């Protein structure tokens, strides 16, 4: 069975300061991990993905995440927040063998303070 | 290239009615999945189709069904609508398998009154 825990339901940062969104996962197999972003009244956009290649993954808009197997974590970071980063962020896990089901975390709402 | 297209964008239905939602995947994508998003339950997996076959199914009642056509377009149907079926329904597509990431559509907002 697979599961995801997003440790913060809401994160607020000032514009220009670093962003850290935390995610822990559980998976029976070698997982694929993703971060998706959802702006209000929009669908989900893929930010980045880990599929067992490099453990430090770079995504779009300056975001990156590090896969740490020993800690079962996949935290999302960005060095400098921008107003346009305000959105809901979802950490997602998928078992890699034969189970085409994404399991979503409950989401972290990111607020950017001007 | 065109993204995942879902129609209609908005729907209002009455309890007891049925509804059909449509999804056109990215050209060349053969796997299509459906998800339900609600404030209370978050994002939940409904089902996944590949080459017209349902490969995976989530924990939803039989009122929720789907199908995929030979051109990979997919439809989902909900019969005997309940107020709790009000949600954003999202469709996602992937070339073959999803572990390289799914591309999502903008969703269909269903309101049941």
């Amino acid at each position: 069975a697979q599961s995801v825990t997003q440790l913060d339901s809401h994160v607020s940062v000032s514009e220009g300061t670093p962003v850290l969104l935390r995610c822990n996962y559980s998976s029976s197999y070698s997982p694929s991990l993703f971060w998706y972003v959802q702006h209000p009244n929009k669908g989900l956009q893929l930010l980045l993905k880990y599929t067992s290649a490099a453990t430090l993954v770079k995504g779009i808009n300056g975001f990156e995440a590090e896969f740490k197997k020993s800690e079962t974590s996949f935290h999302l970071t960005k060095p400098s927040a921008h107003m346009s980063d305000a959105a809901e962020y979802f950490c997602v896990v998928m078992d890699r063998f034969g189970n085409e089901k994404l399991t979503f975390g409950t989401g972290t709402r990111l607020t950017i303070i001007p | 290239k065109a993204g995942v297209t879902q129609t209609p964008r908005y729907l209002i239905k009455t309890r007891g009615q049925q509804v059909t939602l449509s999804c056109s995947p990215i050209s060349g994508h053969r796997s299509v999945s459906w998800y339900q998003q609600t404030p209370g339950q978050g994002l939940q997996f409904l089902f996944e189709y590949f080459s017209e076959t349902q490969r995976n199914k989530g924990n939803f009642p039989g009122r929720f069904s789907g199908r995929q056509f030979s051109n990979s377009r997919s439809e989902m149907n909900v019969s005997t609508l309940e107020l709790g079926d009000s949600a954003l329904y999202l469709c996602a597509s992937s070339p073959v398998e999803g572990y390289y990431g799914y591309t999502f559509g903008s969703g269909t907002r269903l309101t049941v009154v």
Side-chain angles (χ1 to χ4, degrees):
Chain A
Q2 55 195 35
S3 66
V4 169
T5 301
Q6 291 186 244
L7 299 166
D8 306 292
S9 59
H10 191 195
V11 169
S12 293
V13 301
S14 296
E15 190 176 16
T17 64
V19 175
L20 170 63
L21 305 183
R22 299 181 294 164
C23 171
N24 287 346
Y25 71 91
S26 173
S27 175
S28 302
Y29 303 102
S30 176
S32 290
L33 291 159
F34 311 90
W35 277 96
Y36 281 86
V37 61
Q38 186 176 37
H39 290 92
N41 299 314
K42 299 284 189 183
L44 294 158
Q45 181 184 20
L46 179 64
L47 275 179
L48 49 77
K49 59 194 174 195
Y50 166 77
T51 55
S52 80
T55 56
L56 182 61
V57 181
K58 294 188 184 300
I60 62 172
N61 301 334
F63 285 95
E64 63 181 39
E66 186 171 8
F67 173 72
K68 292 187 177 180
K69 186 175 181 179
S70 60
E71 300 175 10
T72 61
S73 69
F74 190 57
H75 301 334
L76 181 70
T77 61
K78 182 174 181 177
S80 177
H82 191 272
M83 293 301 295
S84 61
D85 295 329
E88 188 93 16
Y89 291 79
F90 294 93
C91 182
V92 183
V93 65
M94 189 177 87
D95 285 339
R96 294 197 65 197
F97 297 103
N99 183 358
E100 293 294 312
K101 168 190 169 183
L102 300 177
T103 298
F104 285 78
T106 51
T108 298
R109 179 164 300 279
L110 177 63
T111 298
I112 310 299
I113 303 166
Chain B
K1 59 183 177 182
V4 178
T5 303
Q6 292 188 245
T7 56
R9 287 296 311 275
Y10 301 92
L11 265 178
I12 300 176
K13 290 286 187 179
T14 304
R15 260 185 312 177
Q17 287 186 313
Q18 75 164 19
V19 67
T20 299
L21 312 181
S22 179
C23 172
S24 293
I26 290 173
S27 178
H29 284 196
R30 295 167 64 189
S31 172
V32 174
S33 295
W34 289 88
Y35 290 81
Q36 182 196 63
Q37 185 177 25
T38 60
Q41 300 297 317
L43 280 144
Q44 294 185 288
F45 172 75
L46 281 156
F47 27 66
E48 184 257 349
Y49 287 88
F50 179 82
S51 292
E52 302 179 66
T53 300
Q54 187 182 89
R55 290 197 297 190
N56 295 277
K57 189 177 190 304
N59 296 323
F60 279 81
R63 300 185 297 107
F64 291 82
S65 63
R67 58 178 175 169
Q68 186 181 34
F69 302 95
S70 58
N71 61 359
S72 292
R73 190 177 72 83
S74 178
E75 289 181 347
M76 69 163 281
N77 184 78
V78 188
S79 63
T80 318
L81 284 165
E82 301 176 359
L83 295 179
D85 297 333
S86 295
L88 180 66
Y89 290 88
L90 292 162
C91 169
S93 74
S94 178
V96 176
E97 294 172 314
Y99 56 73
Y100 292 108
Y102 276 95
T103 302
F104 281 80
S106 297
T108 293
R109 172 79 60 187
L110 172 65
T111 302
V112 182
V113 297

